[in-house]
Amino acid sequence: LKEYYEMPYLLSRFESVKVTFNLVPVLVEQLLDYAEGRAHCKFSEIARKPADSLTEEETKFILFHFFNLSEKTRIRPYHRFYYLLRKRGRVHEIEERWKYFTVQDLRDLQFYWIFSAISPILISKNPILRELSVKKEKFKEEDKEALWSVIPKLIKDTINLYLELAREGHIEISGTPYYHPILPVLVNSKNAEISNPYTRKPSFTFSEPENARKHVEKSVKFFKDRFNYEIKGMWPAEGSVSEDTIPIYREAGIRWVATDEE
């Protein structure tokens, strides 16, 4: 909800600029799992848990993980968030400092962990987020829930922005083989040695071209079935290319692939 939204949003203001955005199907699927209520993880569950019921272990978890962000772009822009970081000190100081965090401290930290992940552009456009941004600190549990209530729609809006721009011909969307495999190695493990003769390799070799083909076909099918969009290009995972993968892309209707190597 930060750069992934900001890049296409800013581009949409310049009609003559054409860009290709690559979306990894399994990442889009995971985002939609969160947006549609199918995904659950320890981080989001602890972030939403009432602060006054956090255990000692959960408090230490929050203090360890919820500052593991860009200090420059995610923490310092919010005075209260930065204060809490200084109060925590370094990671090795958590053991002695966790007990000094009040329920209000922890609730504000839970709030900013997710709020700081949202683009200021989105915040300015959403009345609920605007109101929360004015408050700055001393958040209540209702504020946390209000914040989380808008997240699903923002995720869908972000994905839809790419699709709208693609249908307008402003951008092209390319994909990646579905689960982001290193396709040349999947087709033939010896391709790793061609790429780098000094690479560490196992004592066995394998070749699974049919498996590789399914990744490409499933990616094409995902964009077609879910968004009614036909991708014509692919960015192979990690930019990994080999001659024996080209027929697989061609058979699936892919017209171009790209890499950043010579």
Side-chain angles (χ1 to χ4, degrees):
L1 298 179
K2 213 168 174 65
E3 291 86 350
Y4 275 88
Y5 177 83
E6 290 172 345
M7 286 190 293
Y9 172 79
L10 294 173
L11 177 74
S12 70
R13 301 168 67 185
F14 300 90
E15 293 183 10
S16 62
V17 182
K18 308 296 183 181
V19 175
T20 297
F21 286 99
N22 191 78
L23 302 179
V24 180
V26 72
L27 172 61
V28 176
E29 186 176 41
Q30 289 175 64
L31 290 172
L32 290 172
D33 280 345
Y34 276 99
E36 295 168 1
R38 292 187 297 273
H40 302 279
C41 70
K42 185 174 182 178
F43 281 79
S44 57
E45 288 173 357
I46 289 182
R48 297 184 71 171
K49 185 174 181 178
D52 61 4
S53 64
L54 290 169
T55 65
E56 176 182 335
E57 180 184 358
E58 289 168 337
T59 298
K60 291 177 180 177
F61 180 93
I62 285 176
L63 294 178
F64 182 88
H65 289 288
F66 282 22
F67 294 108
N68 189 21
L69 313 166
S70 166
E71 182 178 325
K72 179 180 179 182
T73 61
R74 293 279 299 274
I75 299 177
R76 283 181 179 263
Y78 301 101
H79 177 79
R80 173 66 167 160
F81 202 4
Y82 185 45
Y83 166 81
L84 293 171
L85 171 62
R86 287 179 292 155
K87 182 171 182 174
R88 184 205 69 169
R90 298 181 181 277
V91 170
H92 68 267
E93 296 177 290
I94 291 175
E95 199 60 43
E96 62 181 79
R97 294 194 178 196
W98 74 271
K99 61 178 74 74
Y100 299 113
F101 274 74
T102 66
V103 170
Q104 188 63 65
D105 288 338
L106 295 172
R107 187 179 297 122
D108 287 355
L109 178 52
Q110 289 173 311
F111 175 88
Y112 274 115
W113 175 72
I114 191 66
F115 189 79
S116 69
I118 303 173
S119 168
I121 297 173
L122 283 171
I123 293 171
S124 69
K125 293 167 67 174
N126 185 288
I128 294 175
L129 296 179
R130 277 203 311 272
E131 186 176 337
L132 290 171
S133 69
V134 172
K135 193 167 184 177
K136 292 184 170 49
E137 60 182 319
K138 296 182 180 178
F139 294 100
K140 299 177 180 178
E141 292 298 329
E142 305 91 86
D143 296 324
K144 276 169 45 185
E145 284 308 305
L147 170 60
W148 281 92
S149 71
V150 303
I151 297 294
K153 185 178 185 304
L154 294 182
I155 292 174
K156 288 185 176 181
D157 287 349
T158 298
I159 294 172
N160 287 335
L161 178 56
Y162 288 92
L163 296 167
E164 289 165 13
L165 292 174
R167 292 184 184 117
E168 292 170 1
H170 198 146
I171 71 171
E172 178 177 355
I173 294 175
S174 61
T176 293
Y178 199 85
Y179 287 109
H180 206 268
I182 308 301
L183 212 68
V185 178
L186 198 55
V187 171
N188 189 336
S189 59
K190 290 186 177 180
N191 278 330
E193 299 171 48
I194 296 173
S195 173
N196 177 7
Y198 305 102
T199 190
R200 294 177 62 189
K201 51 188 180 290
S203 58
F204 60 90
T205 60
F206 64 89
S207 177
E208 295 285 346
E210 282 306 312
N211 190 317
R213 187 171 282 106
K214 287 178 182 178
H215 280 280
V216 175
E217 291 172 350
K218 188 172 182 178
S219 181
V220 173
K221 188 174 187 298
F222 173 79
F223 286 102
K224 179 63 176 175
D225 291 352
R226 184 79 202 225
F227 305 117
N228 195 29
Y229 183 82
E230 293 186 19
I231 58 171
K232 297 297 183 183
M234 277 200 174
W235 179 273
E238 306 306 330
S240 55
V241 292
S242 63
E243 290 187 25
D244 52 9
T245 59
I246 300 304
I248 293 175
Y249 290 114
R250 184 183 291 122
E251 291 164 15
I254 296 301
R255 297 175 60 182
W256 63 265
V257 294
T259 184
D260 57 356
E261 297 284 348
E262 293 180 10

